[in-house]
Amino acid sequence: MIGVTIANEQQALDRAQEVRQFEDSNLGVKGLLDSDLSTLPPMFIHSPNLLSSLKPIVRLKTDSIPIIDLSGSNSDRRPSVIEEVALAAHEFGFFKIVHHGVPMEVLGETIVAVKAFHEQPAEVMARIYRKEYETRVTFFASSVDLLHSNTAC
């Protein structure tokens, strides 16, 4: 039993060192991708024990992404819209919103800006990387609870 405990402690130390190196790089997951990795770092791999204990995810019985109509969401329809969003987020993971009132040109400009942000050189991204909530605008490159979670996201 002592050998198992020592092995577990060593695994925890190895993971902590790997997480620290990842965090200290300030490059995040995008930086890993840009570094031409050939294998996924262990901190991103769920252990077989954890995988076997996970419950199956309930999926919506649909062939398409849920579509949520926001027209009239400032009326008596609001509770049902909130319920639709919660259900789609919980059971499907994402959804499409229509009739939200945001002009298409603004959406297009937003997508261009987000892509431009994430395509900046690693040195620029490293300067704005944050590990905690210290400002109103924050850039996290992986799990917020990286040091405490079993696996990085």
Side-chain angles (χ1 to χ4, degrees):
M1 194 66 174
I2 293 175
V4 172
T5 302
I6 292 171
N8 288 343
E9 289 174 3
Q10 185 60 47
Q11 282 179 325
L13 288 173
D14 291 347
R15 184 181 186 289
Q17 181 179 5
E18 182 183 17
V19 168
R20 259 193 306 296
Q21 288 173 341
F22 174 76
E23 290 264 308
D24 291 345
S25 77
N26 292 343
L27 298 177
V29 174
K30 175 82 167 64
L32 289 175
L33 291 173
D34 291 345
S35 71
D36 296 325
L37 286 179
S38 58
T39 60
L40 193 61
M43 66 186 236
F44 290 94
I45 301 172
H46 288 287
S47 72
N49 293 343
L50 179 63
L51 286 174
S52 66
S53 70
L54 295 177
K55 296 177 183 173
I57 298 172
V58 177
R59 298 282 182 206
L60 292 176
K61 292 179 176 36
T62 181
D63 293 333
S64 63
I65 296 171
I67 298 173
I68 299 172
D69 184 352
L70 289 187
S71 60
S73 61
N74 287 332
S75 67
D76 58 346
R77 248 184 45 74
R78 185 177 181 83
S80 66
V81 170
I82 292 170
E83 188 175 320
E84 288 176 49
V85 168
L87 181 66
H90 178 75
E91 294 192 14
F92 200 85
F94 54 93
F95 47 87
K96 178 180 180 178
I97 296 177
V98 296
H99 303 121
H100 44 68
V102 179
M104 290 305 290
E105 63 205 35
V106 172
L107 294 176
E109 291 169 3
T110 301
I111 290 170
V112 168
V114 168
K115 284 181 180 179
F117 173 80
H118 287 285
E119 293 300 325
Q120 294 181 95
E123 309 80 55
V124 173
M125 297 299 284
R127 286 196 312 258
I128 58 176
Y129 177 79
R130 297 288 177 265
K131 297 172 186 73
E132 61 279 321
Y133 296 103
E134 59 188 35
T135 62
R136 292 184 68 196
V137 178
T138 305
F139 163 60
F140 291 101
S142 184
S143 307
V144 176
D145 64 344
L146 192 55
L147 292 171
H148 306 291
S149 62
N150 291 325
T151 308
C153 298

